[in-house]
Amino acid sequence: MMRTRPLKVALLGCGVVGSEVARIMTTHADDLAARVGAPVELAGVAVRRPDRVRQGIDPALITTDATALVKRGDIDVVVEVIGGIEPARTLITTAFEHGASVVSANKALLAQDGAALHAAAEENGEDLYYEAAVAGAIPLIRPLRESLAGDKVNRVLGIVNGTTNFILDKMDSTGAGYQEALDEATALGYAEADPTADVEGFDAAAKAAILAGIAFHTRVRLDDVYREGMTEVTAADFASAKQMGCTIKLLAICERAEDGGSVTARVHPAMIPLTHPLASVRGAYNAVFVESDAAGQLMFYGPGAGGAPTASAVLGDLVAVCRNRLGGATGPGESAYAALPVSPMGEVVTRYHISLDVADKPGVLAQVATVFAEHGVSIDTVRQQGKDGEASLVVVTHRASDASLSGTVEALRKLDTVRGVASIMRVEGE
């Protein structure tokens, strides 16, 4: 039997995502009520610019006083889609203190202060859900923390930023340079006017922190994630990747150490074999590959951004939180019991593709090979091309630590026969 008294929702932010949340709540009101077991009512919308016309939203619901809205006392759920650290953090904790659960899409805040927010939710007996914070519409957070709760996740490898995937896909498929591909992404609305958060990996790093924390039952903050952007990736790198049967993606990689005693989280461009499922992810789409003991290999794929896709994830959380509220319970909170240490990037072991500019004369290859051997880095393949006294030497290693590879490269730069290090690219997915 359906309860007649509505559950009241406060919406913080009414931009691209917030306006879609409001629209779906209105147009699908009957379906949402049937799924929840009670009407779900939009009780207020906090915005910065109240004079802007917002189609389909009652102007009487609009307010610029977000604090007063979350303090009302009759609000059941606060949906936060304003982003950033403040005032979002204060508004969320205030909502908990005044009896409301929270649904958020705020990856930056959760990556930085997720533990404190979870603690505040638990202290006040409220829910904190955030499916929309990672990979847009793709169901990922809930499968990791609920469906795989009885399994042991060993690795999460993913494309979690649509802007960077669009740019790299264009570079791969058309031979375009980085700037040309970025300009097209901007023109199509995939890239912001200031794309720094995307192309320098900040966005993906925040998502990696959230994913690693859930997957490994360990608190992983944004500062724990190694981050490297993709602005230095060139058409020459793609040419080298194709010769290896690979493409290049900006990957978020969260791994449990082989001995199970630590975890790592990192974001950087990497070559990935064309045979790997992530290699076929095109355009602005996202995909995440999960490896666990019992379930084996799982892949989650779909649109990772945009108003409607992200709103879909928000509404899924809203339904879950409303159901919990009606049942007098809360859903899963933070699970950080494992408390595994996060290893620094220097201890990460992977394969490397190194392109060197060298003198085209006898003995160069032997000198280079000696340096690799002295630093304990085993070489898998070598390819050399030379002309008019100059040559390009491409070395692909077996698995080596980042620290040992860094020492190798430093020593290579000191060789008189090495003119320069053209590029260094990690090779993942094997």
Side-chain angles (χ1 to χ4, degrees):
M1 183 176 179
M2 184 179 294
R3 192 182 81 166
T4 56
R5 185 173 67 80
L7 291 160
K8 295 189 176 183
V9 177
L11 178 61
L12 307 183
C14 198
V16 174
V17 176
S19 59
E20 280 296 310
V21 170
R23 182 188 66 80
I24 295 172
M25 286 186 64
T26 301
T27 58
H28 295 180
D30 292 342
D31 286 336
L32 290 174
R35 294 165 191 170
V36 169
V40 180
E41 175 186 297
L42 187 60
V45 181
V47 299
R48 286 183 297 176
R49 294 181 287 273
D51 296 333
R52 178 179 295 178
V53 176
R54 293 172 171 84
Q55 196 69 31
I57 298 178
D58 183 352
L61 298 178
I62 302 296
T63 178
T64 57
D65 193 343
T67 301
L69 179 59
V70 300
K71 282 184 172 181
R72 272 178 35 174
D74 64 336
I75 299 297
D76 294 287
V77 185
V78 169
V79 174
E80 183 271 311
V81 288
I82 55 178
I85 305 302
E86 287 292 356
R89 175 171 48 198
T90 299
L91 290 170
I92 289 173
T93 55
T94 301
F96 291 144
E97 293 165 358
H98 287 77
S101 290
V102 172
V103 172
S104 176
N106 196 331
K107 54 188 172 286
L109 178 58
L110 288 158
Q112 178 173 306
D113 290 319
L117 294 178
H118 275 293
E122 183 177 1
E123 181 181 351
N124 291 280
E126 303 295 343
D127 272 324
L128 173 62
Y129 275 52
Y130 43 91
E131 184 67 65
V134 180
I138 305 173
L140 185 59
I141 300 298
R142 194 170 291 124
L144 280 175
R145 74 176 184 177
E146 296 181 32
S147 303
L148 295 175
D151 204 344
K152 179 183 177 184
V153 176
N154 296 309
R155 195 177 199 219
V156 180
L157 174 74
I159 299 164
V160 295
N161 183 277
T163 300
T164 55
N165 199 58
F166 178 89
I167 292 170
L168 292 173
D169 184 35
K170 280 295 176 183
M171 293 177 69
D172 185 25
S173 60
T174 69
Y178 166 75
Q179 190 60 51
E180 182 183 352
L182 172 60
D183 290 343
E184 182 174 352
T186 304
L188 293 172
Y190 291 126
E192 301 286 347
D194 180 1
T196 302
D198 295 322
V199 300
E200 293 295 350
F202 291 101
D203 175 85
K207 295 170 182 176
I210 295 169
L211 291 174
I214 296 170
F216 306 133
H217 305 278
T218 292
R219 286 178 178 170
V220 179
R221 289 171 49 89
L222 181 59
D223 292 344
D224 296 321
V225 181
Y226 172 82
R227 177 195 55 78
E228 184 180 317
M230 49 154 284
T231 57
E232 300 301 317
V233 176
T234 66
D237 291 325
F238 274 101
S240 294
K242 288 181 179 180
Q243 289 181 333
M244 290 182 58
C246 294
T247 187
I248 299 172
K249 299 291 186 182
L250 184 74
L251 298 177
I253 306 169
C254 311
E255 292 180 308
R256 189 190 299 269
E258 290 185 6
D259 64 4
S262 64
V263 299
T264 59
R266 51 198 165 102
V267 169
H268 54 71
M271 293 183 181
I272 189 167
L274 294 175
T275 53
H276 194 283
L278 291 178
S280 61
V281 178
R282 310 299 297 270
Y285 274 70
N286 284 190
V288 177
F289 201 72
V290 178
E291 300 174 10
S292 68
D293 276 0
Q297 297 179 332
L298 306 170
M299 182 163 158
F300 301 84
Y301 169 84
T310 306
S312 171
V314 170
L315 267 295
D317 277 351
L318 179 61
V319 168
V321 169
C322 286
R323 286 172 175 170
N324 291 344
R325 204 161 185 87
L326 286 180
T330 55
E334 182 189 34
S335 175
Y337 73 90
L340 296 171
V342 182
S343 297
M345 187 62 186
E347 297 179 14
V348 170
V349 176
T350 188
R351 295 179 68 204
Y352 289 87
H353 176 284
I354 305 102
S355 180
L356 305 172
D357 295 327
V358 300
D360 186 16
K361 63 182 183 180
V364 173
L365 179 56
Q367 285 184 326
V368 169
T370 297
V371 170
F372 275 88
E374 289 174 347
H375 289 80
V377 179
S378 176
I379 294 176
D380 182 17
T381 62
V382 177
R383 186 176 69 254
Q384 185 173 5
Q385 293 177 322
K387 185 179 180 182
D388 299 331
E390 297 296 329
S392 172
L393 187 65
V394 175
V395 178
V396 180
T397 74
H398 288 290
R399 289 171 62 82
S401 72
D402 189 82
S404 62
L405 195 283
S406 296
T408 303
V409 172
E410 185 177 346
L412 287 171
R413 295 183 192 275
K414 296 178 181 179
L415 293 178
D416 292 338
T417 52
V418 174
R419 309 293 192 227
V421 180
S423 70
I424 302 172
M425 186 79 65
R426 296 172 183 87
V427 182
E428 301 286 348
E430 295 185 323

